[in-house]
Amino acid sequence: MDTVLILTGAGVIVAAVGVAATVVIWVLKGVFNLGGLHTKVDALTERVDDLSKKVDDLAEGQRALQADLHRAINMLTALANHRHDVDGNTVFNVPPNP
């Protein structure tokens, strides 16, 4: 009977060590995977920041093009609405920007 108790106790101890080893391996694997995910998130954050900078640069270029377009429209409007005073000088009427 003592042999059965000793073998049962040894079996329980082996099982407990196996479960503990499994839990430790799971924790270490989780920490390792978390580090990999952290690296991937950092890389994605950098890519999003680069994309955001490109969008900001495009928006700035669009604003510059709009300003140039408004100047060209104002010049064409002035040319279309010019008149000549009594001395023959050309007078341009530039309507205000809306």
Side-chain angles (χ1 to χ4, degrees):
M1 177 96 84
D2 289 336
T3 307
V4 173
L5 287 176
I6 291 173
L7 290 177
T8 303
V12 168
I13 290 172
V14 168
V17 168
V19 168
T22 302
V23 168
V24 167
I25 289 171
W26 282 349
V27 167
L28 292 175
K29 184 179 177 183
V31 168
F32 178 77
N33 287 338
L34 186 62
L37 288 174
H38 183 67
T39 301
K40 288 180 181 179
V41 167
D42 286 345
L44 286 174
T45 300
E46 187 175 323
R47 286 177 59 192
V48 167
D49 289 344
D50 289 345
L51 183 63
S52 177
K53 184 181 180 320
K54 288 178 183 177
V55 169
D56 289 343
D57 291 344
L58 287 173
E60 183 179 332
Q62 181 184 10
R63 284 189 293 275
L65 285 173
Q66 278 182 317
D68 289 344
L69 180 64
H70 284 296
R71 280 191 293 275
I73 289 172
N74 284 342
M75 282 193 253
L76 290 173
T77 303
L79 285 172
N81 293 315
H82 79 280
R83 61 182 174 80
H84 298 274
D85 64 7
V86 291
D87 296 330
N89 297 322
T90 306
V91 178
F92 294 99
N93 290 332
V94 179
N97 269 338

